[in-house]
Amino acid sequence: MSERITSWHASPSKPAFTPPPGAVDAHCHVFGPMAQFPFSPKAKYLPEDAGPDKLFALRDHLGFSRNVIVQASCHGTDNAATLDAIAQSGGKARGVAVVDPAIGEAELAALHEGGIRGIRFNFLKRLVDNAPRDKFLEVSRRLPEGWHVVIYFEADILEELRPFMDAIPVPLVIDHMGRPDVTQGPDGADMKAFRRLLDSREDIWFKATCPDRLDPAGDPWNAFAEAVAPLVADYQDRVLWGTDWPHPNMQDAIPDDGHLVDMIPCIAPTPELQRKLLVANPMRLYWPEEL
Ligand SMILES: O=C(O)/C=C(\CC(=O)C(=O)O)C(=O)O
């Protein structure tokens, strides 16, 4: 792997939708800068630099106030780039780390001090070499107070992961709704299975994110809106939203971030739903001390 990839829009449009004051982009990443924060030798993609300066400029351009920065697989379990971005945000960012499950208490405490509030377990084979459930479970039992676990998986392994997820003793946040086939519609098999998961525990949250990854028809992502809007309405107190910038691995279908923001009223049509999705819910998970 030698060629570095650009997966984000060079000049995203200004959205027509204005997010409510205090809106949180609750799923985004930073890449590098590589000279300061080298990528993992196990990285499955090698991106161009997309550091905090670019991320915070996009936040302001889109009308958002805060970010939740999720450690991307290209940085492995070295969270230095994520922590640096959080430190540079002036309190406007918090994060989700990826850790070696053997991590010690002192290191977990240092991550908390650096603004981390959860850890991510990634089950996508194209992104990680292995995902040891027994070790993930063990570390999930000794997280700092108030933390949660973020899980990224595809719809075809949802059922198989159920016993693992059931055993996690802290709140769960499911990335991109577990990647349902949105072309099946709101009552399709994938959405039904995902609803069963949400109904099994009240502390399972999800991100209504990534129309660009989930809707093969592309922008304006109508199938995504049709399938996801009922889910947002029915589980409105545990849904989050994020840009997914800089859109890892999306170099062949780079979304316009302004258009992604303009999807928000399509999945959350009322001001009350928008306030929950963009402010109230992410604040409860990431800045609870401010409530
Ligand atoms: O950014 C995302 O949420 C999705 C990713 C990348 C990713 O998760 C990672 O690199 O850690 C994907 O589907 O390639």
mmCIF file of all heavy atoms in Angstrom, residues 27 29 45 71-74 120 122 124 126-127 152 175-176 179 210 213 244 248-249, ligand 1:
data_model
loop_
_atom_site.group_PDB
_atom_site.id
_atom_site.type_symbol
_atom_site.label_atom_id
_atom_site.label_comp_id
_atom_site.label_asym_id
_atom_site.label_seq_id
_atom_site.Cartn_x
_atom_site.Cartn_y
_atom_site.Cartn_z
ATOM 1 N N HIS A 27 -20.110 11.694 14.780
ATOM 2 C CA HIS A 27 -19.297 10.633 14.162
ATOM 3 C C HIS A 27 -18.412 11.238 13.081
ATOM 4 O O HIS A 27 -18.877 11.539 11.965
ATOM 5 C CB HIS A 27 -20.152 9.512 13.576
ATOM 6 C CG HIS A 27 -19.325 8.352 13.069
ATOM 7 N ND1 HIS A 27 -19.002 7.267 13.855
ATOM 8 C CD2 HIS A 27 -18.712 8.140 11.874
ATOM 9 C CE1 HIS A 27 -18.253 6.420 13.152
ATOM 10 N NE2 HIS A 27 -18.059 6.926 11.944
ATOM 11 N N HIS A 29 -13.838 11.601 12.051
ATOM 12 C CA HIS A 29 -12.498 11.069 12.323
ATOM 13 C C HIS A 29 -11.440 12.118 11.981
ATOM 14 O O HIS A 29 -11.732 13.098 11.279
ATOM 15 C CB HIS A 29 -12.195 9.847 11.446
ATOM 16 C CG HIS A 29 -13.284 8.835 11.348
ATOM 17 N ND1 HIS A 29 -13.504 7.854 12.292
ATOM 18 C CD2 HIS A 29 -14.230 8.621 10.386
ATOM 19 C CE1 HIS A 29 -14.520 7.084 11.921
ATOM 20 N NE2 HIS A 29 -14.980 7.528 10.763
ATOM 21 N N TYR A 45 -6.036 1.088 4.712
ATOM 22 C CA TYR A 45 -6.064 2.189 3.735
ATOM 23 C C TYR A 45 -5.102 3.259 4.235
ATOM 24 O O TYR A 45 -4.817 3.352 5.438
ATOM 25 C CB TYR A 45 -7.479 2.744 3.554
ATOM 26 C CG TYR A 45 -8.150 3.236 4.825
ATOM 27 C CD1 TYR A 45 -8.097 4.571 5.207
ATOM 28 C CD2 TYR A 45 -8.837 2.346 5.660
ATOM 29 C CE1 TYR A 45 -8.707 5.017 6.370
ATOM 30 C CE2 TYR A 45 -9.453 2.783 6.829
ATOM 31 C CZ TYR A 45 -9.377 4.116 7.179
ATOM 32 O OH TYR A 45 -9.972 4.553 8.339
ATOM 33 N N GLN A 71 -11.887 7.143 16.732
ATOM 34 C CA GLN A 71 -10.607 6.629 16.244
ATOM 35 C C GLN A 71 -10.840 5.756 15.010
ATOM 36 O O GLN A 71 -11.616 4.798 15.056
ATOM 37 C CB GLN A 71 -9.974 5.821 17.390
ATOM 38 C CG GLN A 71 -8.783 4.982 17.016
ATOM 39 C CD GLN A 71 -7.491 5.785 17.013
ATOM 40 O OE1 GLN A 71 -7.502 7.018 17.124
ATOM 41 N NE2 GLN A 71 -6.387 5.111 16.872
ATOM 42 N N ALA A 72 -10.171 6.088 13.918
ATOM 43 C CA ALA A 72 -10.332 5.308 12.686
ATOM 44 C C ALA A 72 -9.326 4.164 12.650
ATOM 45 O O ALA A 72 -8.228 4.255 13.223
ATOM 46 C CB ALA A 72 -10.150 6.212 11.473
ATOM 47 N N SER A 73 -9.675 3.092 11.949
ATOM 48 C CA SER A 73 -8.843 1.879 11.957
ATOM 49 C C SER A 73 -7.440 2.121 11.406
ATOM 50 O O SER A 73 -6.508 1.406 11.770
ATOM 51 C CB SER A 73 -9.542 0.772 11.164
ATOM 52 O OG SER A 73 -9.735 1.176 9.827
ATOM 53 N N CYS A 74 -7.274 3.138 10.564
ATOM 54 C CA CYS A 74 -5.940 3.376 9.991
ATOM 55 C C CYS A 74 -4.925 3.813 11.049
ATOM 56 O O CYS A 74 -3.714 3.737 10.825
ATOM 57 C CB CYS A 74 -6.002 4.404 8.855
ATOM 58 S SG CYS A 74 -6.714 5.974 9.355
ATOM 59 N N ARG A 120 -14.316 1.579 20.786
ATOM 60 C CA ARG A 120 -14.997 1.042 19.603
ATOM 61 C C ARG A 120 -14.497 -0.357 19.290
ATOM 62 O O ARG A 120 -13.280 -0.605 19.261
ATOM 63 C CB ARG A 120 -14.707 1.946 18.409
ATOM 64 C CG ARG A 120 -15.522 1.624 17.163
ATOM 65 C CD ARG A 120 -15.068 2.481 16.005
ATOM 66 N NE ARG A 120 -16.055 2.599 14.946
ATOM 67 C CZ ARG A 120 -15.741 2.761 13.665
ATOM 68 N NH1 ARG A 120 -14.481 2.838 13.279
ATOM 69 N NH2 ARG A 120 -16.685 2.871 12.758
ATOM 70 N N ASN A 122 -14.609 -2.968 16.231
ATOM 71 C CA ASN A 122 -14.856 -2.963 14.791
ATOM 72 C C ASN A 122 -14.860 -4.412 14.291
ATOM 73 O O ASN A 122 -13.875 -5.131 14.478
ATOM 74 C CB ASN A 122 -13.734 -2.144 14.128
ATOM 75 C CG ASN A 122 -13.985 -1.846 12.670
ATOM 76 O OD1 ASN A 122 -14.670 -2.596 11.990
ATOM 77 N ND2 ASN A 122 -13.415 -0.755 12.194
ATOM 78 N N LEU A 124 -15.600 -5.255 11.001
ATOM 79 C CA LEU A 124 -15.540 -5.330 9.538
ATOM 80 C C LEU A 124 -14.220 -5.941 9.099
ATOM 81 O O LEU A 124 -13.150 -5.363 9.338
ATOM 82 C CB LEU A 124 -15.737 -3.931 8.923
ATOM 83 C CG LEU A 124 -17.199 -3.619 8.587
ATOM 84 C CD1 LEU A 124 -18.027 -3.485 9.852
ATOM 85 C CD2 LEU A 124 -17.319 -2.389 7.728
ATOM 86 N N ARG A 126 -12.817 -6.158 6.311
ATOM 87 C CA ARG A 126 -11.982 -5.392 5.396
ATOM 88 C C ARG A 126 -11.179 -4.305 6.138
ATOM 89 O O ARG A 126 -10.302 -3.683 5.562
ATOM 90 C CB ARG A 126 -12.821 -4.785 4.265
ATOM 91 C CG ARG A 126 -13.792 -3.726 4.692
ATOM 92 C CD ARG A 126 -14.537 -3.118 3.507
ATOM 93 N NE ARG A 126 -15.706 -2.387 3.926
ATOM 94 C CZ ARG A 126 -15.705 -1.152 4.420
ATOM 95 N NH1 ARG A 126 -14.556 -0.504 4.534
ATOM 96 N NH2 ARG A 126 -16.813 -0.569 4.798
ATOM 97 N N LEU A 127 -11.515 -4.058 7.419
ATOM 98 C CA LEU A 127 -10.843 -2.988 8.164
ATOM 99 C C LEU A 127 -9.903 -3.491 9.256
ATOM 100 O O LEU A 127 -8.939 -2.806 9.597
ATOM 101 C CB LEU A 127 -11.880 -2.057 8.808
ATOM 102 C CG LEU A 127 -12.748 -1.244 7.845
ATOM 103 C CD1 LEU A 127 -13.843 -0.513 8.599
ATOM 104 C CD2 LEU A 127 -11.898 -0.244 7.071
ATOM 105 N N TYR A 152 -19.185 -1.537 15.463
ATOM 106 C CA TYR A 152 -19.369 -1.395 14.011
ATOM 107 C C TYR A 152 -19.414 -2.790 13.398
ATOM 108 O O TYR A 152 -18.453 -3.555 13.505
ATOM 109 C CB TYR A 152 -18.210 -0.584 13.421
ATOM 110 C CG TYR A 152 -18.385 -0.188 11.955
ATOM 111 C CD1 TYR A 152 -19.640 -0.079 11.369
ATOM 112 C CD2 TYR A 152 -17.265 0.088 11.170
ATOM 113 C CE1 TYR A 152 -19.789 0.293 10.042
ATOM 114 C CE2 TYR A 152 -17.401 0.471 9.834
ATOM 115 C CZ TYR A 152 -18.660 0.566 9.283
ATOM 116 O OH TYR A 152 -18.805 0.928 7.959
ATOM 117 N N ASP A 175 -22.803 1.786 15.233
ATOM 118 C CA ASP A 175 -22.427 2.635 14.103
ATOM 119 C C ASP A 175 -23.272 2.326 12.873
ATOM 120 O O ASP A 175 -23.429 1.157 12.473
ATOM 121 C CB ASP A 175 -20.943 2.424 13.753
ATOM 122 C CG ASP A 175 -20.055 3.329 14.585
ATOM 123 O OD1 ASP A 175 -20.556 4.272 15.225
ATOM 124 O OD2 ASP A 175 -18.823 3.090 14.592
ATOM 125 N N HIS A 176 -23.779 3.395 12.258
ATOM 126 C CA HIS A 176 -24.484 3.311 10.980
ATOM 127 C C HIS A 176 -25.589 2.239 10.991
ATOM 128 O O HIS A 176 -25.819 1.559 9.981
ATOM 129 C CB HIS A 176 -23.490 3.037 9.833
ATOM 130 C CG HIS A 176 -22.180 3.778 9.967
ATOM 131 N ND1 HIS A 176 -22.087 5.036 10.507
ATOM 132 C CD2 HIS A 176 -20.911 3.426 9.640
ATOM 133 C CE1 HIS A 176 -20.812 5.422 10.514
ATOM 134 N NE2 HIS A 176 -20.078 4.472 10.003
ATOM 135 N N ARG A 179 -25.365 -1.131 9.404
ATOM 136 C CA ARG A 179 -25.356 -1.192 7.941
ATOM 137 C C ARG A 179 -26.504 -2.030 7.338
ATOM 138 O O ARG A 179 -26.265 -3.021 6.623
ATOM 139 C CB ARG A 179 -23.998 -1.703 7.439
ATOM 140 C CG ARG A 179 -22.851 -0.763 7.819
ATOM 141 C CD ARG A 179 -21.565 -1.148 7.149
ATOM 142 N NE ARG A 179 -21.688 -1.049 5.702
ATOM 143 C CZ ARG A 179 -20.962 -0.244 4.933
ATOM 144 N NH1 ARG A 179 -20.046 0.540 5.475
ATOM 145 N NH2 ARG A 179 -21.123 -0.237 3.643
ATOM 146 N N CYS A 210 -24.470 7.918 7.451
ATOM 147 C CA CYS A 210 -23.880 7.321 6.257
ATOM 148 C C CYS A 210 -24.858 6.936 5.148
ATOM 149 O O CYS A 210 -24.805 5.801 4.628
ATOM 150 C CB CYS A 210 -23.008 6.118 6.615
ATOM 151 S SG CYS A 210 -21.518 6.601 7.461
ATOM 152 N N ARG A 213 -22.857 5.600 2.343
ATOM 153 C CA ARG A 213 -22.394 4.207 2.371
ATOM 154 C C ARG A 213 -23.535 3.227 2.141
ATOM 155 O O ARG A 213 -23.320 2.115 1.659
ATOM 156 C CB ARG A 213 -21.767 3.865 3.736
ATOM 157 C CG ARG A 213 -20.485 4.583 4.044
ATOM 158 C CD ARG A 213 -19.869 4.051 5.342
ATOM 159 N NE ARG A 213 -18.820 4.946 5.796
ATOM 160 C CZ ARG A 213 -17.566 4.922 5.341
ATOM 161 N NH1 ARG A 213 -17.193 4.034 4.439
ATOM 162 N NH2 ARG A 213 -16.671 5.777 5.798
ATOM 163 N N ASP A 244 -19.478 11.620 9.401
ATOM 164 C CA ASP A 244 -18.547 10.557 9.008
ATOM 165 C C ASP A 244 -17.325 11.123 8.258
ATOM 166 O O ASP A 244 -16.538 10.371 7.681
ATOM 167 C CB ASP A 244 -19.242 9.479 8.175
ATOM 168 C CG ASP A 244 -18.355 8.285 7.864
ATOM 169 O OD1 ASP A 244 -17.612 7.852 8.759
ATOM 170 O OD2 ASP A 244 -18.385 7.797 6.708
ATOM 171 N N PRO A 248 -13.791 7.687 5.347
ATOM 172 C CA PRO A 248 -12.812 6.668 4.994
ATOM 173 C C PRO A 248 -13.328 5.687 3.931
ATOM 174 O O PRO A 248 -14.461 5.212 4.045
ATOM 175 C CB PRO A 248 -12.546 5.920 6.308
ATOM 176 C CG PRO A 248 -13.183 6.714 7.399
ATOM 177 C CD PRO A 248 -14.027 7.770 6.791
ATOM 178 N N ASN A 249 -12.517 5.430 2.951
ATOM 179 C CA ASN A 249 -12.797 4.441 1.889
ATOM 180 C C ASN A 249 -13.898 4.854 0.911
ATOM 181 O O ASN A 249 -14.328 4.050 0.092
ATOM 182 C CB ASN A 249 -13.147 3.067 2.495
ATOM 183 C CG ASN A 249 -12.018 2.549 3.351
ATOM 184 O OD1 ASN A 249 -10.889 2.444 2.872
ATOM 185 N ND2 ASN A 249 -12.272 2.259 4.604
HETATM 186 O O1 LIG B 1 -15.711 5.590 9.234
HETATM 187 C C1 LIG B 1 -16.564 4.714 9.337
HETATM 188 O O2 LIG B 1 -17.423 4.780 10.202
HETATM 189 C C2 LIG B 1 -16.549 3.594 8.407
HETATM 190 C C3 LIG B 1 -15.458 3.028 7.814
HETATM 191 C C4 LIG B 1 -14.089 3.262 8.261
HETATM 192 C C5 LIG B 1 -13.858 2.913 9.675
HETATM 193 O O3 LIG B 1 -14.753 2.645 10.434
HETATM 194 C C6 LIG B 1 -12.482 2.882 10.201
HETATM 195 O O4 LIG B 1 -11.535 3.020 9.445
HETATM 196 O O5 LIG B 1 -12.346 2.703 11.424
HETATM 197 C C7 LIG B 1 -15.679 2.126 6.677
HETATM 198 O O6 LIG B 1 -16.793 1.619 6.525
HETATM 199 O O7 LIG B 1 -14.727 1.922 5.911
#
